[in-house]
Amino acid sequence: LVWYFGWEKMRSTKTLLFPCHRRYPTVEIRAETFNGSTHVPVPSDSAFLKALLFELRLIDDHIFVEHRDTCTRINHSSVYSVRTEGGDLWPVLAFQKSGLIYACLPLVEETLEPRPPLLTVSGLSQGLALLLGIVDYISPSRKNEAEMTAKIGQLRNLLIQACPLGTPLNTNIRSLNSSFDDIQEMPTDENQPAWRSNTYKGKPQVNLCITEKVKCTQYDKRDVVDTWQVYGAVNCKCDIEGSAPNVTLTLNLPTNGPPLQDIVVHHCVTSVDPAMLTSSSAEPLDDSVYNGPYKFPFIPPSDSFNLCYYTSQVPVPPILGSYQLFEEGSQLKITVNLKLHESIKNSFEYCEARIPFFNRGPIAQLEYKVSYGQLDLSREKSLLVWVIGQKFPKSLEVSLTGTVSFGAAGKEHPTDYICTGNTAYVKLYFRIPDFTLTGCYVDQHSVQIFVPGKPKVTASRELISSDYYIWNSKAPAPMVYKTLPD
């Protein structure tokens, strides 16, 4: 990726002020490999800037140039083809904001002829995110020229931290502003990795958090199999002195805990057991599956990062439910039953069930009975929110029954092409702190940090719902799997 930033004073003189740019030779080499015979080399900085200004009609706008000005060529996006001596550079992402020009040339990981659809070029979204981060960083100083000059002077150093190797790692440029004094153009220690762009000075500490998300679809039908999936991520923030500190973190599972699978590690991990990476959820589990402990030696980046991602095949979903909805005349009768599995920690930060009513008018009348918690009606009167709270009762079961009638439908009420008639769902939202569905945890005392002193290690974990649906069992619903007939 080649990133450019420039400021054009949008007055009659059109004077260019404070040009700033950054290019990545390693990415240019990758582009040449991917693009093959269709590759167009990036010209010199001045030549590219001149060609870009010409394409944007900021210079020589009084001259008619057919390839640029013909009425048959209408650009509906901020992606341009910039003509250079070596050929047409594409895709150049460029836009103007408050008199400033922001532009970048993303990497296209394929041949350029024929040109691939814009939606398939992942570098465009990455480039746009980084440019918008620069806009957010620069814009507050737009009316103060001295402050603007200072910020633009800092921008190159901040880009080293935000995008050290050509791929954006942090597009929130403003969040990096407080540490720009510590950023160096080149590491003073030749052993310092490129992803560790600045060194920490202060009290050493390590913060670790395991976040697991559970997706679930339940039908409460004999001929349809319920599905659920668990996705985990281990987030780390290592405030440790030194240019290349070594840290070893171990993930542990309880006895008989489901093994971690589909493990993907951050590039800062220096070595890993191959058996750990070959465990795949696409294959059935057997006795040879690697079930830990999972060790990750790494040299941490300066900022917060996800050390690894994983999946796991847990035997049961945390909350089992059933939902029944059917019409009786002009009314709907609903019944919702939820049961917390006995193996799940009964301590929630929040837990609620939301029951939307699509393609109908506002709720005009509601009669209900809940065995636990409270039921609220949304302001739009198209959604019931059952707040279960921070604990299930001792029975671990809760129920809701009710009758709902509706008024005349308006444009402001929700519609859905799938949820027509009695096809409807309940969606659960919950978070359980200090708990993971796999049982995965980090032993704080087992974290090895090879630096002077004794850094403070803090470890936490959490389970969060994600797309947790319970479909109406009294109507057809979208189905992923069906059991085969005997």
Side-chain angles (χ1 to χ4, degrees), residues 118-362:
L118 293 180
L119 290 176
T120 65
V121 182
S122 60
L124 282 172
S125 58
Q126 295 176 344
L128 179 60
L130 185 59
L131 291 182
L132 292 177
I134 297 175
V135 171
D136 183 60
Y137 168 70
I138 292 290
S139 293
S141 306
R142 182 65 184 87
K143 296 181 180 180
N144 188 325
E145 190 165 322
E147 187 177 343
M148 171 78 78
T149 304
K151 280 197 170 184
I152 292 176
Q154 299 161 11
L155 185 58
R156 180 174 174 80
N157 285 341
L158 294 176
L159 286 177
I160 294 175
Q161 189 174 5
C163 189
L165 301 176
T167 300
L169 302 181
N170 187 350
T171 58
N172 187 357
I173 306 299
R174 185 185 293 184
S175 70
L176 306 175
N177 188 31
S178 59
S179 60
F180 77 90
D181 287 331
D182 297 329
I183 302 173
Q184 303 166 358
E185 281 284 344
M186 293 296 292
T188 56
D189 189 334
E190 62 181 10
N191 295 321
Q192 182 171 335
W195 61 83
R196 191 170 175 82
S197 53
N198 66 321
T199 55
Y200 174 79
K201 294 182 181 180
K203 187 176 181 180
Q205 55 186 351
V206 175
N207 293 303
L208 310 169
C209 181
I210 302 175
T211 299
E212 287 187 356
K213 295 185 177 181
V214 54
K215 297 180 66 174
C216 187
T217 306
Q218 298 180 37
Y219 302 99
D220 191 28
K221 291 176 179 286
R222 289 186 177 181
D223 61 335
V224 185
V225 179
D226 296 342
T227 63
W228 58 91
Q229 299 169 304
V230 177
Y231 305 89
V234 181
N235 184 266
C236 303
K237 180 68 168 69
C238 301
D239 294 327
I240 307 173
E241 293 187 1
S243 57
N246 288 287
V247 180
T248 298
L249 180 149
T250 302
L251 297 181
N252 300 285
L253 292 174
T255 305
N256 300 324
L260 306 185
Q261 298 175 288
D262 305 320
I263 298 175
V264 179
V265 300
H266 191 274
H267 57 74
C268 72
V269 176
T270 54
S271 64
V272 70
D273 190 324
M276 186 191 307
L277 302 180
T278 56
S279 178
S280 171
S281 60
E283 301 174 357
L285 296 175
D286 55 41
D287 295 337
S288 64
V289 170
Y290 189 87
N291 55 8
Y294 305 86
K295 288 193 174 183
F296 300 91
F298 60 95
I299 300 175
S302 306
D303 299 311
S304 175
F305 71 102
N306 286 329
L307 177 68
C308 69
Y309 300 90
Y310 62 85
T311 67
S312 184
Q313 300 181 46
V314 296
V316 293
I319 299 177
L320 291 169
S322 66
Y323 178 36
Q324 295 182 355
L325 177 151
F326 53 90
E327 294 190 44
E328 278 193 359
S330 61
Q331 295 180 328
L332 291 183
K333 286 198 171 184
I334 61 172
T335 302
V336 183
N337 294 298
L338 302 176
K339 181 178 181 180
L340 180 68
H341 194 271
E342 58 188 13
S343 65
I344 306 303
K345 180 181 178 182
N346 190 9
S347 179
F348 294 77
E349 180 179 306
Y350 58 85
C351 181
E352 64 182 41
R354 299 184 184 180
I355 311 171
F357 296 96
F358 297 100
N359 311 308
R360 304 176 187 273

Side-chain angles (χ1 to χ4, degrees), residues 14 54 56-64 68-69:
K14 294 185 180 176
F54 180 83
L56 297 177
R57 303 186 82 252
L58 297 175
I59 59 174
D60 295 335
D61 57 335
H62 60 287
I63 303 173
F64 176 80
R68 182 192 69 178
D69 302 321

Side-chain angles (χ1 to χ4, degrees), residues 354-370:
R354 299 184 184 180
I355 311 171
F357 296 96
F358 297 100
N359 311 308
R360 304 176 187 273
I363 295 175
Q365 187 174 0
L366 172 64
E367 296 179 2
Y368 68 90
K369 179 181 179 181
V370 292

